[in-house]
Amino acid sequence: MSVLSGQVFLGGASGVSTWRRSVAIPALEAAGISYCNPQLPPGAWTPAMEAAEMLAKDAAEVLVFVLNGETRGVATVAEVAYYLAAGRPLALAIADIPPGAVIEGHAVSPSEAADLNRGRLFLRTMARHHGVPVHDTVAAAIRHAIALVHSRAATLTLATLQQILDEIRFDA
């Protein structure tokens, strides 16, 4: 899938996570929904890729963000907060960092886990405030994303209305 296309953007920290390939992509393909998978191998992402990712997020109808125990997800916390405040359609899966977690080969100290989990708690609270459900599993978040895409397909947008009006011709 091209980085610049897709009805659903599969966001969240990447690293060695497999949720896109094992859960999200099969479900989206089964539903006939296009997606943008920005995941690259560990260490391959560069700041120069940020512009392409921003365009893909802007173009997507629904944004999926997963914060699980596989990555710290600090940047993802900021991104999700931004998109919540912007009112974008979101499907979220958030899990806390468990005690004794090891991320990318490094033990997470209790104080670091507490800081990371405070960010997750903030997102859950902000999502609730904005009426966005937070799911415990990736599968549930993807089902929600599919439902959001289907509900948006039935909505007449200003852009669609403008396109319809542009096609109307009157004989003089």
Side-chain angles (χ1 to χ4, degrees):
M1 181 72 39
S2 168
V3 170
L4 293 179
S5 66
Q7 293 165 286
V8 173
F9 182 87
L10 300 174
S14 293
V16 296
S17 66
T18 61
W19 64 266
R20 291 171 178 87
R21 185 174 60 251
S22 64
V23 179
I25 292 171
L28 292 169
E29 287 179 348
I33 294 174
S34 62
Y35 56 88
C36 171
N37 177 9
Q39 186 169 13
L40 298 167
W45 189 88
T46 67
M49 295 172 181
E50 182 68 18
E53 278 194 25
M54 291 301 292
L55 290 173
K57 288 177 228 175
D58 287 347
E61 295 175 44
V62 174
L63 304 170
V64 172
F65 285 98
V66 172
L67 273 162
N68 58 23
E70 296 177 337
T71 62
R72 287 170 175 78
V74 175
T76 301
V77 169
E79 266 188 304
V80 172
Y82 171 81
Y83 288 119
L84 280 167
R88 293 292 306 272
L90 296 171
L92 304 174
I94 301 175
D96 285 338
I97 302 295
V102 176
I103 298 176
E104 297 175 358
H106 297 93
V108 178
S109 72
S111 63
E112 180 185 11
D115 284 343
L116 295 172
N117 289 334
R118 270 192 293 280
R120 287 157 164 80
L121 175 62
F122 170 78
L123 286 183
R124 286 186 189 99
T125 302
M126 192 171 184
R128 185 173 47 252
H129 177 75
H130 287 278
V132 174
V134 175
H135 303 278
D136 293 331
T137 67
V138 173
I142 296 302
R143 286 191 299 273
H144 183 70
I146 291 168
L148 285 172
V149 169
H150 288 153
S151 71
R152 292 179 57 76
T155 304
L156 182 62
T157 65
L158 182 58
T160 304
L161 180 60
Q162 184 62 52
Q163 184 179 7
I164 293 168
L165 292 173
D166 288 345
E167 294 174 7
I168 298 174
R169 300 286 179 246
F170 293 99
D171 292 330

